[in-house]
Amino acid sequence: MEIISAKKVSKIYSNGQGLKSVDFTISKGEFVGIVGESGAGKTTLMRLLCGAIFPTDGELIIYDTDMTNIRRARLTNLRRKISVVYQNYNVIPCLDVARNVMLGRLSEVSWLETIRRLFFLNREELGEIKSILEKLNIADKLNERCQELSGGQQQRVAIARALYSKADLFIADEPIASVDPATANLIINAFKDLKYQGKTIIMNLHQLDHAIKHCDRILMFEQGEICFDGKPTEFAQSSAYSRLDDKDLQMGVTNE
């Protein structure tokens, strides 16, 4: 089942072009890795897919919704199906970890229920949140404020928030950029669990070894265009892969 279709999609900014007439489709249940050097168009793609920006030209269809001509109410409904992990975490520093994770489901409840959850989480809700945090090896931080956590820990809270949502499509922009190798594996495996549940994962990855090992498919961007679209095993033998010869891109960077 095809959930995303891009036909000749371009995005032009005032200071240059982000994407140049790209074509691709993504099916339900795929785990797609997006790779390429900085400035290649990866983040522009992510922002287009979550409705943060819109195409300048071409046709982008997500869940039968035309993103080039979408009304605000329709966009709000579409975003309920999509969960995004941003590079800058977007956690609320003054709230504890549990409540930051709880924010992943706010689009599904009334404002009264939102207020209730900000002041009181019941045993079932706390249990579900703690279970997700355990997958990411951060359950011991359940009651700590996010401002007291390291950058890598805050990133895991943001990922836990996404996992707690009931979305069908998960878009993650560099979710393992600030963690050690062991934690990176925990995060990747948590997303793979979602794939096994039939969810769709699109992940912007700087670490090519993880992309090749874990993704079903790789899209590589180069100067705003797709220069590779295929299986990880084919990518590892391709000229596109050999062009990414920077050591940090090949093996990944840890800065937690």
Side-chain angles (χ1 to χ4, degrees), residues 2-213:
E2 197 174 279
I3 63 170
I4 298 174
S5 173
K7 297 178 180 177
K8 306 299 179 185
V9 170
S10 296
K11 179 61 182 178
I12 301 173
Y13 299 105
S14 59
N15 61 347
Q17 189 157 4
L19 290 181
K20 303 175 184 178
S21 192
V22 299
D23 293 275
F24 65 91
T25 60
I26 293 177
S27 299
K28 177 179 171 61
E30 279 195 285
F31 189 161
V32 181
I34 310 297
V35 303
E37 295 179 347
S38 297
K42 307 188 302 298
T43 298
T44 294
L45 175 69
M46 295 288 180
R47 297 183 69 204
L48 285 169
L49 294 180
C50 68
I53 58 175
F54 302 96
T56 305
D57 296 298
E59 179 185 81
L60 178 61
I61 307 294
I62 303 177
Y63 287 111
D64 299 320
T65 299
D66 185 353
M67 301 300 287
T68 59
N69 185 26
I70 185 171
R71 295 181 179 179
R72 184 178 295 274
R74 188 76 185 272
L75 181 60
T76 299
N77 289 332
L78 176 64
R79 283 174 174 164
R80 292 193 178 104
K81 297 181 180 180
I82 303 172
S83 187
V84 185
V85 179
Y86 297 97
Q87 270 187 293
N88 61 354
Y89 322 143
N90 283 0
V91 297
I92 299 178
C94 63
L95 291 182
D96 63 23
V97 168
R99 280 160 182 79
N100 267 281
V101 175
M102 175 273 299
L103 296 175
R105 289 190 185 168
L106 284 195
S107 63
E108 306 163 19
V109 299
S110 67
W111 66 271
L112 283 174
E113 180 65 8
T114 297
I115 292 173
R116 191 275 295 175
R117 294 186 185 193
L118 283 171
F119 286 96
F120 174 75
L121 290 168
N122 62 39
R123 183 178 298 178
E124 182 179 351
E125 290 162 345
L126 281 171
E128 188 175 357
I129 289 170
K130 187 174 182 180
S131 177
I132 292 170
L133 293 172
E134 285 173 346
K135 291 182 180 180
L136 301 171
N137 198 24
I138 198 175
D140 60 321
K141 306 296 184 182
L142 181 70
N143 298 312
E144 291 190 25
R145 292 186 180 184
C146 280
Q147 63 192 14
E148 299 169 354
L149 306 182
S150 69
Q153 290 169 338
Q154 289 185 35
Q155 190 167 32
R156 279 183 276 171
V157 173
I159 291 165
R161 181 180 59 207
L163 299 180
Y164 185 64
S165 75
K166 293 185 177 180
D168 295 313
L169 170 62
F170 291 80
I171 299 172
D173 194 5
E174 302 284 5
I176 58 174
S178 302
V179 298
D180 60 80
T183 303
N185 286 325
L186 289 175
I187 291 170
I188 292 288
N189 287 333
F191 278 105
K192 289 174 76 172
D193 285 345
L194 292 173
K195 169 189 157 52
Y196 298 142
Q197 297 169 29
K199 309 294 186 179
T200 306
I201 316 296
I202 302 173
M203 187 176 291
N204 186 356
L205 285 165
H206 195 68
Q207 297 87 342
L208 298 187
D209 51 342
H210 281 288
I212 292 168
K213 181 178 180 180

Side-chain angles (χ1 to χ4, degrees), residues 194-251:
L194 292 173
K195 169 189 157 52
Y196 298 142
Q197 297 169 29
K199 309 294 186 179
T200 306
I201 316 296
I202 302 173
M203 187 176 291
N204 186 356
L205 285 165
H206 195 68
Q207 297 87 342
L208 298 187
D209 51 342
H210 281 288
I212 292 168
K213 181 178 180 180
H214 298 290
C215 295
D216 301 323
R217 175 180 163 204
I218 291 176
L219 287 176
M220 178 176 158
F221 283 77
E222 202 169 56
Q223 297 181 354
E225 299 177 308
I226 295 175
C227 64
F228 181 89
D229 180 359
K231 295 180 179 179
T233 51
E234 297 169 347
F235 175 65
Q237 302 299 320
S238 70
S239 59
Y241 176 83
S242 66
R243 288 197 297 273
L244 292 176
D245 58 0
D246 182 278
K247 186 176 181 180
D248 287 346
L249 274 173
Q250 297 287 354
M251 300 306 297

